[in-house]
Amino acid sequence: MSYEIVGIAILWTFLFGYLLVASIDFGAGFFSFYSVLTGHQNKIHNIIQRYLSPVWEVTNVFLIFFVVGLNGFFPDAAYYYGTALLIPGSIAIVLLAIRGVYYAYNTYGHSGKNNIVYMALYGATGLLIPAALSTVLAISEGGIIVENSTGVHLLWGHLLSNPYTWAVIILALVSVLYISAMFLCFYAKRAGDKVAFEIVRGYAMLWSAPTILASLFAFFQINKQNPDHFANMLSMAWMFIASFICFVGAVYLVWQRRHLGISFILVMLQFAFAWYGYGRSHLPYVLYPYINVYASFTNSTMAYALITAFVAGLLVLVPSLLLILRLFLFDAKYVRGQAGKKG
């Protein structure tokens, strides 16, 4: 396997990790605020906070690795994406900062607890951040970034009026809520909280159908935005069929209220098949038609160093995340809110 394929596979894996971990985080934040509006705060807020407290500080590590690696493996990415995404990227950073402030006040302070304004900002960023970040996928399909004698320009009018842009944004939003609700189902069930489980189970069933409909909408919009990419996706249709089968299995188990751990594994497989199928069919482009994985790749010495560093990063990051899950999220006392209690 060439350095180019190994490099892009590593980056795509880091981004997939961020997709899963951040989706649970973002969706849980929105559900936490929604529970305040619907009067369910006392029923599900504790479950959500027990999940968020140990993991919020490590969520963005996946994204940082991806951004650093993208610019390291593909130096042209800084020129094209860095120039064009200055404004949307800055918006995403500001939203992440707002979210971080909420975490700090909620975890270490007292003035932020149960404050409706802070909760509203927290819930809103849970949707606005994935919406902002998802526009990169729309831009990568081409036709939205142009290069001329004055430099690289983002065509804002085309970006905002493009149906594919909104298809990707809608898919990002419903996927975040679906992934988060499916995980919270498993987590509430493991905690033995029947009331919270029934509430988040309702969320999971509610957002399951929109997730598939949004996926189909985005899938067919790719044909209009980038016919070559769409043709490549059809050539590996089995990956998207496998994704749909995993979706059906996951929703069925939640509907039946059983094997919820297996259900969430199927959710991860559902998005893994779709994510890697999308990424593989997008090759050889990172940004169509400007960044080609073969023509824009760094030199072999730098590639070897980066691959070594990023594989080492995965070998540290993944076990660390599993350790957090083992010590906190899946600890028998912690998951039931009994940490620090006797007996």
Side-chain angles (χ1 to χ4, degrees), residues 143-166:
I144 297 175
I145 285 181
V146 296
E147 183 181 19
N148 55 34
S149 58
T150 60
V152 176
H153 303 278
L154 178 65
L155 303 179
W156 281 96
H158 188 49
L159 174 67
L160 298 178
S161 63
N162 190 346
Y164 181 64
T165 300
W166 293 105

Side-chain angles (χ1 to χ4, degrees), residues 78-131:
Y79 172 66
Y80 287 101
Y81 279 123
T83 302
L85 296 179
L86 181 61
I87 294 178
S90 298
I91 292 173
I93 291 173
V94 170
L95 292 172
L96 286 169
I98 292 173
R99 195 171 183 83
V101 168
Y102 168 82
Y103 282 134
Y105 274 102
N106 187 71
T107 304
Y108 305 116
H110 298 284
S111 60
K113 292 182 182 294
N114 301 320
N115 185 298
I116 189 66
V117 176
Y118 289 156
M119 289 293 295
L121 290 173
Y122 178 53
T125 56
L127 297 182
L128 294 176
I129 293 172

Side-chain angles (χ1 to χ4, degrees), residues 234-275:
L234 291 179
S235 68
M236 53 188 69
W238 69 270
M239 298 188 73
F240 301 100
I241 294 173
S243 175
F244 180 73
I245 292 173
C246 291
F247 163 79
V248 172
V251 173
Y252 175 77
L253 290 177
V254 170
W255 179 51
Q256 291 289 313
R257 298 179 174 84
R258 58 192 179 96
H259 303 306
L260 298 177
I262 295 175
S263 174
F264 189 70
I265 290 175
L266 289 174
V267 170
M268 291 191 290
L269 289 175
Q270 170 193 342
F271 281 88
F273 278 118
W275 184 250

Side-chain angles (χ1 to χ4, degrees), residues 18-19 22-23 25-27 29-30 56 59-60 63 88-103 120-137 168-169 172-173 176:
Y18 183 73
L19 167 69
S23 290
D25 182 10
F26 293 148
F30 175 79
W56 71 267
T59 300
N60 293 321
L63 183 61
S90 298
I91 292 173
I93 291 173
V94 170
L95 292 172
L96 286 169
I98 292 173
R99 195 171 183 83
V101 168
Y102 168 82
Y103 282 134
L121 290 173
Y122 178 53
T125 56
L127 297 182
L128 294 176
I129 293 172
L133 295 177
S134 66
T135 58
V136 177
L137 293 179
V168 171
I169 291 175
L173 295 180
V176 160

